[in-house]
C-alpha cells in the first residue's frame, strides 16, 4: 500500500469517526429518535429509547402547563397542556412573549414573579388570558434554570378552575347550612312566640265560661283576648311581609303623604304599649308640613316598628322621643329611647333577618327578629336610609330614618266625600269561606250587627246560595274548593240577578296583582283577612250606600 493510499484511508477513517461522534452527540441530546442503517441484506431502522425519554414524556403528558422561557420572557418551549389552557395552537406559541397571556392589571405582579424566578424561584396565583378573552385562574411557579441550558426560566402553570369551583360550592354549602340553622332557630322561636298569646286566650275562654253572665268579667276577658289576638295578627302580618319582601313581591301604594299624619297613626297604634309600660313619649314635628311620596301604611309601619322596639327594649318608666326634622331635601325621623342600648358589635347585625341580641327563650320581651329587617327594606324601597346609634349597653338607642321629601308640593287632591260608615244598615250578606269556623264566626258577627246572613263553604255552593238567597253583598274567599273565588264571581256576574250584587273578595293576598285579578273577575272590593268589622262596614258603606235599608 502506498503512502498516498494510507493517507486517504486515514482521512476516510477520521471522517467516519467524526460522523459517529456527531451521531452519538445527537443521540445524547435527544435530537434523534431513530436511525436507519444500511446492512448487507437491506436497511434497518433502529428506534432509540433515550435516557431522558421518560422525563420528556412526563413533561409532555402532565396535567400542568410547562414552559421554558428565554431571559426576556419569550417562550422557548411549551407543552400541549399549556397550549390548551390558553386556547392557541401549540406550533404558534414558540417565540411569543409569556406576558401576552397576563391581563393588564396583573402585569406588575408578573414582573415581580419573573424577578423572583430570576433570583431562584417565584410563585403565586394569577389569571391567564385565553384567546377568547376568558380569564383562567392559575398557580404559576417560576424557576431559574442553569446558565448552560440556553433558557432562563422553567415555568409550571396549574389550572385552578376546578378548585375555585369547589371552593365556591363549599362556600355556598356553608351559607346554606348557616341559613338552615337560622331557619330552624327561627321556627322554634316562631312556635314559642305564637304560643305565648294562646295560653291567656284559653284562660280567658275558661273565665268566660265560668263567669257566664258576669258582664264585667266577660268584658275584661274579651278585652284581653282582643289584645292577644292583635299581637298574633301583628306577628303573622310581619311574617307575611318579610316573606313577600324576600321574594320581591311587595308593592308600595305610593301617594302624597303628610309625614305628621303617618306619625300620628304610628303613635296611636303604639299607645297601649307605651302607656302599659308607663313610658313618657315626646313627639316633635316641624312647624311646616312635610310631604313625601310614600305608601302611608308602610310609613306608619316603619315608625310603628321602631316605636314598638323602643317600648320593648326600655325598662318601665323610660323616656322615648320621636322627632321629625327637615334637613335640606330630606325628612329625618329620629326614634330615641333611654333603654337597654345595643353593644357596638351588634349594631350592624340587627337589621339582618332573624337577628336578635338576646336569643334566650327566657328573655322578657317577645319578637321574631324581623321587625328591623322590614324597616330597612321598606325604607330602602322609599329611596331612604336607616341607621342605628347606641353608646352601648344601658345607654339607650337611636334609630334615624332619612327619606326624600317631595320637593314640589302640588295641590292636594280633593278629599273624597265618604258617607259616614254606620253599622245600623241591615243587609243580606252571603259569607263564603272553606274555613267553616271563619265563615260561621264572621256570619254570626254580621248578624249581631243587624244583618241577615247565609254561609257557603265552596265555590259551587256559593253560586247556588247567591241564586237562592239573593244577597245584597257576597263576601267571597278566593282560595275555594270546586270553584275558586274568581270563577264563582264570574258565574254570579253572568246571571241577571248577579249584576248588581256587591262582591267583596276576602283573601290573604293584598298585592296589586291580586287586586287587579279580583277587579277583572267582577269584584267591587278587596279585603285582606282577617277582616276587621269596622273596616268591612266602612267598605260596604262606600260601595253600596243606597242598596241597604235602615233597620
Ligand atoms: P324583635 O324586636 O322582634 O326581636 P327586630 O328586628 O325588631 O326584632 O330587632 C332585632 C333586635 O335588635 C332585637 O331583638 C333587639 O335585640 C335589638 N333592638 C331593636 N331595637 C332596639 C332598641 N330600641 N333598643 C335595644 N335593642 C334593640
Amino acid at each position: 500500500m502506498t503512502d498516498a493510499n494510507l493517507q486517504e484511508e486515514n482521512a476516510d477513517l477520521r471522517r467516519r469517526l467524526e460522523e459517529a461522534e456527531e451521531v452519538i452527540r445527537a443521540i445524547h441530546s435527544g435530537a434523534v429518535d431513530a436511525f436507519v442503517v444500511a446492512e448487507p441484506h437491506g436497511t434497518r431502522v433502529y428506534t432509540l429509547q433515550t435516557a431522558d425519554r421518560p422525563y420528556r414524556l412526563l413533561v409532555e403528558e402532565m396535567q400542568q402547563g410547562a414552559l421554558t422561557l428565554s431571559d426576556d420572557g419569550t417562550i422557548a418551549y411549551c407543552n400541549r397542556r399549556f397550549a390548551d389552557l390558553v386556547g392557541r395552537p401549540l406550533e404558534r406559541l414558540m417565540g411569543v412573549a409569556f406576558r401576552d397571556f397576563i391581563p393588564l392589571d396583573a402585569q406588575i405582579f408578573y414582573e415581580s414573579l419573573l424577578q423572583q424566578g430570576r433570583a431562584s424561584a417565584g410563585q403565586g396565583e394569577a389569571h391567564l388570558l385565553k384567546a377568547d378573552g376568558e380569564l383562567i385562574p392559575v398557580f404559576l411557579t417560576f424557576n431559574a434554570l442553569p446558565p448552560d441550558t440556553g433558557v432562563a426560566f422553567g415555568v409550571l402553570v396549574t389550572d385552578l378552575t376546578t378548585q375555585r369551583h369547589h371552593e365556591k360550592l363549599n362556600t355556598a354549602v356553608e351559607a346554606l347550612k348557616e341559613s338552615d340553622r337560622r331557619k330552624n332557630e327561627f321556627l322554634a322561636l316562631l312556635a314559642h312566640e305564637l304560643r305565648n298569646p294562646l295560653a291567656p286566650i284559653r284562660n280567658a275562654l275558661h273565665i268566660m265560661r265560668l263567669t257566664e253572665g258576669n258582664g264585667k268579667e266577660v268584658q275584661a276577658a274579651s278585652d284581653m283576648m282582643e289584645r292577644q289576638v292583635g299581637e298574633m295578627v301583628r306577628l303573622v302580618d310581619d311574617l307575611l311581609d318579610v316573606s313577600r319582601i324576600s321574594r320581591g313581591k311587595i308593592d308600595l301604594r305610593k301617594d302624597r303623604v303628610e309625614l305628621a299624619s303617618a306619625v300620628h297613626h304610628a303613635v296611636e297604634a303604639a299607645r297601649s304599649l307605651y302607656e302599659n309600660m308607663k313610658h313618657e313619649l315626646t313627639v316633635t314635628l316641624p312647624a311646616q308640613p312635610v310631604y313625601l311620596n310614600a305608601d302611608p301604611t308602610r310609613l306608619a309601619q316603619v315608625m310603628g316598628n321602631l316605636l314598638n322596639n323602643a317600648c320593648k327594649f326600655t325598662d318601665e318608666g323610660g323616656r322615648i322621643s320621636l322627632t321629625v326634622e327637615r334637613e335640606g331635601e330630606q325628612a329625618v325621623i329620629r326614634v330615641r329611647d333611654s333603654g337597654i342600648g345595643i353593644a357596638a358589635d351588634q349594631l350592624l347585625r340587627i337589621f339582618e333577618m332573624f337577628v336578635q341580641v338576646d336569643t334566650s327563650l327566657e328573655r322578657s320581651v317577645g319578637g321574631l327578629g324581623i321587625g328591623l329587617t322590614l324597616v330597612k327594606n321598606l325604607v330602602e324601597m322609599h329611596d331612604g336610609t336607616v341607621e342605628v346609634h347606641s353608646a352601648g349597653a344601658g345607654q339607650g338607642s337611636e334609630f334615624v330614618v332619612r327619606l326624600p321629601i317631595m320637593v314640589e308640593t302640588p295641590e292636594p287632591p280633593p278629599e273624597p266625600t265618604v258617607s259616614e260608615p254606620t253599622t245600623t244598615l241591615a243587609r243580606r250578606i252571603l259569607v263564603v269561606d272553606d274555613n267553616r269556623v271563619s265563615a260561621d264566626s264572621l256570619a254570626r258577627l254580621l248578624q249581631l250587627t243587624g244583618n241577615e246572613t247565609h254561609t257557603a263553604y265552596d265555590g259551587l255552593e256559593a253560586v247556588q246560595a247567591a241564586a237562592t238567597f239573593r244577597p245584597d253583598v257576597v263576601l267571597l274567599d278566593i282560595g275555594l274548593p270546586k270553584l275558586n273565588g274568581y270563577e264563582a264571581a264570574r258565574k254570579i256576574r253572568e246571571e241577571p240577578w248577579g249584576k248588581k250584587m256587591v262582591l267583596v273578595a276576602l283573601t290573604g293576598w293584598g298585592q296589586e296583582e291580586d287586586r287587579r285579578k279580583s277587579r277583572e273577575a267582577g269584584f267591587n272590593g278587596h279585603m285582606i283577612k282577617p277582616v276587621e268589622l269596622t273596616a268591612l262596614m266602612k267598605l260596604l258603606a262606600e260601595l253600596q250606600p243606597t242598596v241597604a235599608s235602615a233597620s
Side-chain angles (χ1 to χ4, degrees):
M1 198 176 270
T2 63
D3 268 3
N5 278 356
L6 274 174
Q7 274 178 2
E8 199 177 315
E9 198 168 316
N10 197 8
D12 187 41
L13 280 173
R14 272 176 197 281
R15 199 168 26 84
R16 288 170 66 183
L17 187 62
E18 271 170 23
E19 256 179 39
E21 276 175 355
E22 200 174 317
V23 168
I24 288 169
R25 264 202 306 279
I27 292 170
H28 268 245
S29 70
V32 173
D33 287 334
F35 54 92
V36 182
V37 178
E39 288 187 347
H41 308 294
T43 53
R44 257 182 97 162
V45 177
Y46 290 85
T47 53
L48 286 178
Q49 297 282 341
T50 51
D52 60 357
R53 189 173 147 81
Y55 302 112
R56 290 178 56 180
L57 275 177
L58 172 72
V59 173
E60 251 134 48
E61 302 298 323
M62 66 201 233
Q63 283 305 303
Q64 278 88 355
L67 310 92
T68 53
L69 305 185
S70 56
D71 193 53
D72 63 355
T74 51
I75 299 176
Y77 163 84
C78 76
N79 66 0
R80 182 156 301 283
R81 176 78 181 123
F82 179 74
D84 291 346
L85 262 177
V86 292
R88 309 264 175 121
L90 178 62
E91 53 284 3
R92 300 242 190 100
L93 285 172
M94 312 307 155
V96 173
F98 188 78
R99 66 163 64 247
D100 288 358
F101 304 105
I102 303 288
L104 269 184
D105 58 358
Q107 290 281 341
I108 296 178
F109 175 65
Y110 167 67
E111 280 304 329
S112 80
L113 274 187
L114 216 56
Q115 287 298 333
Q116 292 167 32
R118 196 167 271 127
S120 67
Q123 56 187 32
E125 285 182 20
H127 281 96
L128 283 190
L129 202 53
K130 232 178 150 163
D132 60 6
E134 192 192 338
L135 288 176
I136 315 147
V138 290
F139 189 80
L140 295 176
T141 312
F142 282 73
N143 277 314
L145 293 179
D148 60 350
T149 51
V151 277
F153 306 99
V155 183
L156 266 188
V157 184
T158 309
D159 184 1
L160 298 179
T161 309
T162 317
Q163 193 178 327
R164 284 289 137 80
H165 189 64
H166 282 142
E167 281 165 11
K168 262 195 200 146
L169 275 180
N170 276 343
T171 319
V173 167
E174 285 310 313
L176 273 178
K177 276 191 193 157
E178 169 64 15
S179 104
D180 186 47
R181 191 187 58 77
R182 276 214 222 166
K183 233 172 221 156
N184 283 338
E185 271 178 24
F186 173 71
L187 282 178
L189 187 67
L190 179 62
H192 179 83
E193 288 297 319
L194 287 177
R195 220 190 144 155
N196 271 347
L198 289 178
I201 290 175
R202 184 181 273 164
N203 293 342
L205 285 172
H206 287 309
I207 294 171
M208 285 163 111
R209 196 169 297 134
L210 293 173
T211 61
E212 213 175 327
N214 181 340
K216 246 183 161 180
E217 291 261 21
V218 170
Q219 186 62 43
S222 58
D223 284 352
M224 187 263 274
M225 280 168 81
E226 196 171 341
R227 272 200 309 279
Q228 298 296 333
V229 171
E231 183 56 25
M232 286 185 84
V233 169
R234 205 181 64 77
L235 281 175
V236 176
D237 280 352
D238 272 4
L239 260 182
L240 277 174
D241 277 350
V242 93
S243 97
R244 281 178 198 147
I245 281 186
S246 56
R247 288 178 294 135
K249 281 195 121 197
I250 217 163
D251 292 327
L252 292 184
R253 315 186 96 205
K254 283 192 184 174
D255 207 345
R256 183 177 184 274
V257 180
E258 210 232 311
L259 188 47
S261 72
V263 170
H264 177 72
H265 276 114
V267 169
E268 270 316 298
R271 180 177 297 278
S272 66
L273 196 60
Y274 65 79
E275 283 185 355
N276 274 346
M277 298 284 292
K278 303 191 176 59
H279 294 317
E280 180 196 323
L281 174 69
T282 344
V283 179
T284 317
L285 296 168
Q288 297 298 322
V290 173
Y291 291 97
L292 307 179
N293 180 26
D295 182 328
T297 316
R298 299 303 187 178
L299 201 57
Q301 189 179 2
V302 164
M303 288 182 281
N305 279 1
L306 294 179
L307 279 175
N308 222 310
N309 280 347
C311 293
K312 274 194 330 194
F313 298 107
T314 301
D315 289 339
E316 221 175 80
R319 273 168 292 109
I320 296 169
S321 68
L322 192 165
T323 54
V324 178
E325 280 169 331
R326 187 179 172 148
E327 284 181 12
E329 292 183 356
Q330 281 188 329
V332 185
I333 305 160
R334 292 190 163 82
V335 178
R336 197 176 296 171
D337 63 58
S338 59
I340 63 168
I342 303 165
D345 61 342
Q346 299 289 335
L347 285 176
L348 279 181
R349 290 183 66 233
I350 57 169
F351 291 101
E352 283 172 34
M353 178 109 75
F354 308 146
V355 167
Q356 299 182 306
V357 175
D358 181 0
T359 49
S360 59
L361 290 181
E362 309 76 48
R363 71 213 160 106
S364 53
V365 289
L368 294 171
I370 53 184
L372 287 179
T373 312
L374 269 178
V375 165
K376 185 166 189 292
N377 279 286
L378 289 174
V379 166
E380 286 172 359
M381 285 170 79
H382 281 90
D383 303 315
T385 58
V386 56
E387 56 196 54
V388 55
H389 309 282
S390 173
Q395 306 286 309
S397 317
E398 182 188 50
F399 287 81
V400 184
V401 175
R402 290 171 200 277
L403 292 166
I405 286 178
M406 238 187 167
V407 183
E408 357 132 27
T409 44
E411 279 301 299
E415 282 286 308
T417 46
V418 176
S419 56
E420 267 303 295
T422 165
T423 51
T424 57
L425 291 177
R427 294 181 174 87
R428 291 168 69 76
I429 302 180
L430 171 62
V431 181
V432 189
D433 196 328
D434 58 332
N435 182 329
R436 284 172 184 250
V437 182
S438 287
D440 294 348
S441 57
L442 182 56
R444 179 77 191 117
L445 204 56
L446 290 166
Q447 281 167 17
L448 289 172
T449 50
N451 301 284
E452 199 178 326
T453 65
H454 191 87
T455 42
Y457 308 115
D458 67 52
L460 277 183
E461 209 185 314
V463 180
Q464 283 155 10
T468 51
F469 178 61
R470 296 290 169 90
D472 304 318
V473 178
V474 186
L475 303 179
L476 191 51
D477 185 25
I478 294 296
L480 285 173
K482 296 188 187 165
L483 211 58
N484 71 33
Y486 299 128
E487 291 161 346
R490 284 203 181 91
K491 285 232 174 311
I492 292 174
R493 284 287 186 239
E494 277 167 15
E495 301 296 335
W497 45 259
K499 303 261 185 279
K500 282 217 164 76
M501 276 179 193
V502 170
L503 304 186
V504 177
L506 296 189
T507 89
W509 310 102
Q511 302 301 109
E512 195 40 56
E513 171 69 6
D514 304 305
R515 289 177 193 275
R516 187 183 55 73
K517 271 201 206 149
S518 67
R519 265 197 308 273
E520 282 171 9
F523 280 100
N524 305 85
H526 187 116
M527 292 211 81
I528 300 173
K529 293 197 282 188
V531 175
E532 258 197 59
L533 188 64
T534 41
L536 177 61
M537 287 307 169
K538 185 161 178 273
L539 180 78
L540 291 183
E542 283 168 16
L543 287 176
Q544 195 209 24
T546 54
V547 175
S549 55
S551 62

